């Protein structure tokens, strides 16, 4: 509510004579009467008093009596005095009458003054309303004009062609031809239209066995892959509509049959007739994807599983390829599946800090004596090893750890695999060393190999532990998914000949870049490599990405209303005390933010960012906080639809500002998202205060209590739609439910007891429009280093000149982050929020700062938003703070670092505190 006193402003500076002429005349008359009456009476009375006084006085002292009285006898005198006393009495009573009349008149004046005041306010109010209506009408006219101009029919989706047959038979290409397969020559695009949604069919691994007798696909892989694909929205059961067909081939393991028969080959291979007999093989295996995943970080088998057979036009997905066998842009290199089936993986990762660890560089491995390499290259390798050994003794303060002979090597595994290098140490011992390594050396396998399981497994391990991989021979190899992932941001590729420059190079890399690379490593590892689920999703997504088919839209949470046919809310129209006297913008009917406008252009224009930066390449979102802006002249040169430039583009001060949204984005509205728990009156008051708020699309209340609202509740009619949504259970995480009835990109998240003025809300909205990827809001908080323990963070809400969080009890944020809160945040964080019934706002700040690497934006002077008369909210007590300290430290552990960033500025409106000419208005009166 407006509290004018707080700004030292007085109400009613302008008198409006003409309109109040009649009233004023009365007032004038009354004033005259009031002034004259006391004067008269005073004069009259004082005369009489003087007379009487003289008389009584003289009665006691004959000496001084005037002649007139001396001549009178006593009786006459008495009569005279009585006469005078009577006069005095009557005058006095007359006087009393007049006094009471005066009082009455005064009271009347006061009431008139009051009604003047009220009328004046009413006038201002009506004028504001009129202004608002005028602007609203103007805006509606512009919108209508736009709608008419837009009179082009919406593009219709092209008809999706479905083949008659599942896969008609075609001739197998010659082996030479299939060796040269590329997407354009071997892939059937007609099965994968742009709008198909990229359906994927999986051959049931138990039903279709395509390995030679005696071999079986690894059981764990079989079940987890099926399960993971089940969670992938592209999976289809209809082979007719499928775009690609997945065949699981490896990892191949010997089965019980092979133990009894000695005939089994020591190397597994594919049964080519079984392959040919796959139901939809279609003669040449086009659009088939052969998955030869490996689950162990060592290649148990040497040789090529596909050596003896022709895989036709099928795409091969595995970790080991020779230069000869790899068909660039067609086959896919993946990492071995080393992780759990799915779920939270953060526990596996090492902390990101400190940037520099105990060892600058480590290596554990052994060069194989019988490696099938040329003498020439062996010499280079020998030189490399000699150089590395010399590094150990250079007397630098940098620590190295190199193990070239594996005392620890597992005898079964150490000397198999196609590469020159064998593995050293057990998984656990390597993990210990990697945790202490800033960089870790990985040798490229032999020169004929473009990738091996071992190489990719070493990479996987290094990324997990945050040791930055330095691939020696990096120019010879290719890493997993390199058609979409920018590996240079996480890995150092170095030709072997550069070995002498290695130490120098590593020394020059500053902490910032080390941490940047480590953060990128972790992003890649967590999103694309960590679990069976991420591997499956990534394989499907890369193939889809190749074809420029957009991902499927992200799931929203269906909003179920607490109301139903039998239980309807009662609406009342309550006028709100102290309504706004500032015209802040047009009142318009709700309109949704445009959504899914970039279905087909997003991958084309920002595909790489989606994979490597802020994005989620697995799902399509209605809009992204980072969607591009038009240049400011475009809106006047053909792209102006929806834009509401200030003063039609001329600009202007407060008046023009209040009439148009301006800015770099088309017009839009915001949704108020309220989480409430059993504080009905507080909630209703909060909603009522939103009445008449410009740019408000709708109000969504998440009813966090199992008890439905009481039937007698009178819901305020605020002129915008109100949705009251059932929450499945009482959880603070519900504050960020990605509900399907949130129709705007801008979401104002507020506590049910937050007191925000309209001008504050609208200013916050305008600022958010320029910082769409950040949290923009009012209550600032920060994370402070605990200087007593020197090892943890403290949550701090004191007034301070630096902040790092803006609480979501009163903040704007992009709807996109609600999805990410549920999809991207590890479950452990949401569990912690439920455990403490606290910290959801801290979690959101962590998430957004982690993605954007920017601090939130604080607007206006308000620091805190508790309502004065409300019952004590639960956030007051000490345990609340204790929990919040713990949350910050726990979340930092989950993220591997503390993503919060400090900021030292806040946003106020442009002409705030600027001296401006009388004929100009400020942008906002008070902020
Ligand atoms: C398999 O090999 C074992 C020993 O190597 C031999 O005793 C056995 O007779 C062989 N079985 C067959 C079916 O050849
Ligand atoms: C695929 O099979 C072959 C032969 O069994 C093997 O060499 C290769 O490493 C396997 N796995 C992967 C992931 O490449
Ligand atoms: C409507 O909602 C009320 C309160 O939640 C519930 O008691 C009632 O059973 C519901 N009626 C129907 C028809 O769903
Ligand atoms: C974009 O995708 C969304 C979600 O699938 C869909 O509703 C919309 O119609 C699509 N737009 C176009 C132009 O295809
Ligand atoms: C906040 O400030 C008060 C007064 O300066 C101080 O006593 C208190 O310890 C501070 N709280 C925190 C959490 O720093």
């Amino acid at each position: 509510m407006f509290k004018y006193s707080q700004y030292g402003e007085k109400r009613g500076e302008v008198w409006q004579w003409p309109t109040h002429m009649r009233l004023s005349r009365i007032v004038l008359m009354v004033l005259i009467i009031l002034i004259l009456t006391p004067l008269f009476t005073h004069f009259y009375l004082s005369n009489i008093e003087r007379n009487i006084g003289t008389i009584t006085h003289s009665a006691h002292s004959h000496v001084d009596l005037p002649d007139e009285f001396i001549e009178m006898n006593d009786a006459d005198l008495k009569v005279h005095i009585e006469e005078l006393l009577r006069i005095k009495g009557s005058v006095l009573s007359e006087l009393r009458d007049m006094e009471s009349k005066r009082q009455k008149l005064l009271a009347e004046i006061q009431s008139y003054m009051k009604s003047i005041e009220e009328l004046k306010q009413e006038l201002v109010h009506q004028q504001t309303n009129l202004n608002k209506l005028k602007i609203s009408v103007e805006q509606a006219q512009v919108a209508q004009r736009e709608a008419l101009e837009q009179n082009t029919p919406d593009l219709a989706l092209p008809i999706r062609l479905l083949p008659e047959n599942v896969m008609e038979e075609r001739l197998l290409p010659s082996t030479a031809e299939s060796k040269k397969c590329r997407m354009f020559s071997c892939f059937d695009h007609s099965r994968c239209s742009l709008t198909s949604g990229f359906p994927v069919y999986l051959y049931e691994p138990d039903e279709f066995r395509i390995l030679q007798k005696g071999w079986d696909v690894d059981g764990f892989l079989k079940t987890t892959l099926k399960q993971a694909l089940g969670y992938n929205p592209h999976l289809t059961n209809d082979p007719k509509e499928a775009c690609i067909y997945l065949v699981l081939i490896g990892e191949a393991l010997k089965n019980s049959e092979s133990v009894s028969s000695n005939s089994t080959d020591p190397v597994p291979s594919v049964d080519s007739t079984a392959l040919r007999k796959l139901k939809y093989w279609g003669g040449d295996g086009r659009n088939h994807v052969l998955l030869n995943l490996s689950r162990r970080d060592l290649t148990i088998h040497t040789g090529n599983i596909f050596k003896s057979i022709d895989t036709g036009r099928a795409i091969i997905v595995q970790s080991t390829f020779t230069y000869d066998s790899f068909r660039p842009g067609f086959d896919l290199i993946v990492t071995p599946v080393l992780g759990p089936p799915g779920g939270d993986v953060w526990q596996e990762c090492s902390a990101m800090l400190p940037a520099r660890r105990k060892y600058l560089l480590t290596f554990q491995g052994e060069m194989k004596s019988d490696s099938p390499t040329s003498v020439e290259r062996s010499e280079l390798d020998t030189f490399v090893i000699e150089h590395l050994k010399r590094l150990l003794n250079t007397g630098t303060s940098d620590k190295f750890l190199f193990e070239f002979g594996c005392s620890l090597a597992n005898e079964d595994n150490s000397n198999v695999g196609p590469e020159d290098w064998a593995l050293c140490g057990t998984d656990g011992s390597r993990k210990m060393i990697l945790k202490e390594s800033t960089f870790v050396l990985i040798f490229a396998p032999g020169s004929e190999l473009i990738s091996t399981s071992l190489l990719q497994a070493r990479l996987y391990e290094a990324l997990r532990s945050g040791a930055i991989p330095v691939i020696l021979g990096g120019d010879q190899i290719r890493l997993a998914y390199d058609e979409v992932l920018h590996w240079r941001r996480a890995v150092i590729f170095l030709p072997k000949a550069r070995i002498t420059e290695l130490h120098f190079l590593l020394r020059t890399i500053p902490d910032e870049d080390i941490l940047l690379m480590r953060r990128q490593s972790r992003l890649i590892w967590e999103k694309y490599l960590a679990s069976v689920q991420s591997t499956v999703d990534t394989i499907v997504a890369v193939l889809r990405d190749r074809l420029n088919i957009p991902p499927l839209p992200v799931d929203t949470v269906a909003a179920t209303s607490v109301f139903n046919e039998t239980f309807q809310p009662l609406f009342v129209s309550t006028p709100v005390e102290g309504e706004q006297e500032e015209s802040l913008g047009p009142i318009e009917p709700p309109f949704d933010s445009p959504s899914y406008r970039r279905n087909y252009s997003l991958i084309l224009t920002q595909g790489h960012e989606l994979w490597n930066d802020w994005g989620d390449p697995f799902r399509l979102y209605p809009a992204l906080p980072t969607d591009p802006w038009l240049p400011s002249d475009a809106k006047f040169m053909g792209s102006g639809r929806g834009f509401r430039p200030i003063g039609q583009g001329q600009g202007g001060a407060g008046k023009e500002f209040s009439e148009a949204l301006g800015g770099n984005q088309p017009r839009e509205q915001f949704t108020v998202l309220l989480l409430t728990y059993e504080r009905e009156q507080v909630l209703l008051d909060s909603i009522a205060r939103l009445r008449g708020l410009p740019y408000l699309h709708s109000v969504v209340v998440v009813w966090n209590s199992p008890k439905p609202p009481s039937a007698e509740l009178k819901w305020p009619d605020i002129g915008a739609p109100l949705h009251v949504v059932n929450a499945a259970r009482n959880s603070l995480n519900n504050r960020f439910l990605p509900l399907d009835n949130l129709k705007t990109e801008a979401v104002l998240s507020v506590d049910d007891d937050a007191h925000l003025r309209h001008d504050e809300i609208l200013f916050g909205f305008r600022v958010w429009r320029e910082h769409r990827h950040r949290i923009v809001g009012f209550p600032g908080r920060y994370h402070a280093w605990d200087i007593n323990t020197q090892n943890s963070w403290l949550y701090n809400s004191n007034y301070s000149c630096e902040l790092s969080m803006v609480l979501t009890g009163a903040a704007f944020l992009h709807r996109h982050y609600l999805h990410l809160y549920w999809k991207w945040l590890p479950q452990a964080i949401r569990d912690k929020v439920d455990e403490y019934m606290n910290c959801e706002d801290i979690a959101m700040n962590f998430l957004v700062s982690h993605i954007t690497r920017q601090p939130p934006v604080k607007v206006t002077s308000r620091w805190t938003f508790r309502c004065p008369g409300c019952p004590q909210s639960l956030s007051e007590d000490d345990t609340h703070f204790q929990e919040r300290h713990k949350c910050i430290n726990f979340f930092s552990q989950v993220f591997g670092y503390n993503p919060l960033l400090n900021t030292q500025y806040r946003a106020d409106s442009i002409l705030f505190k600027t001296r401006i000419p009388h004929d100009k208005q400020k942008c906002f009166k008070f902020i």
Side-chain angles (χ1 to χ4, degrees), residues 735 751 778-787 789 791-800 802-810 836 838-846 856 863-866 873-892 898 900 902:
R735 178 188 285 282
D751 284 340
F778 302 88
R781 300 289 185 268
Y782 63 100
H783 65 300
W785 188 240
D786 186 346
I787 55 168
T789 66
N791 65 5
S792 63
W793 292 106
L794 293 173
Y795 171 84
N796 200 317
S797 66
N798 271 352
Y799 296 100
S800 89
E802 196 169 66
L803 59 89
S804 57
M805 286 176 271
V806 162
L807 299 190
T808 50
Y836 287 157
N838 197 342
C839 303
E840 85 289 358
D841 44 3
I842 300 181
M844 184 52 101
N845 274 276
F846 266 65
W863 190 261
T864 187
F865 276 87
R866 294 291 155 205
S873 56
L874 48 105
S875 49
E876 295 302 299
D877 48 12
D878 190 48
T879 51
H880 170 79
F881 274 95
Q882 293 309 323
E883 286 165 358
R884 287 168 89 80
H885 301 322
K886 287 187 203 154
C887 283
I888 292 196
N889 291 301
F890 176 70
F891 294 170
S892 302
N898 187 331
L900 298 179
N902 293 314

Side-chain angles (χ1 to χ4, degrees), residues 23-41 98 102 105-106 109:
L23 249 180
S24 331
R25 231 182 277 144
I26 299 171
V27 174
L28 201 66
M29 270 158 53
V30 173
L31 273 178
I32 292 167
I33 295 170
L34 272 179
I35 294 161
L36 290 186
T37 323
L39 271 179
F40 267 119
T41 20
M98 287 176 96
R102 193 177 78 101
L105 283 169
L106 262 178
I109 282 193

Side-chain angles (χ1 to χ4, degrees), residues 912-927:
F912 180 60
K913 293 210 167 167
T914 304
R915 294 172 77 87
I916 54 171
H918 310 294
D919 58 336
K920 290 269 185 287
Q921 272 176 34
K922 300 215 165 199
C923 315
F924 292 95
K925 271 192 195 162
F926 308 114
I927 50 177

Side-chain angles (χ1 to χ4, degrees), residues 562-567 708-709 726:
V562 298
F563 301 114
N564 54 31
E565 293 105 51
T566 55
F567 177 41
N726 253 330

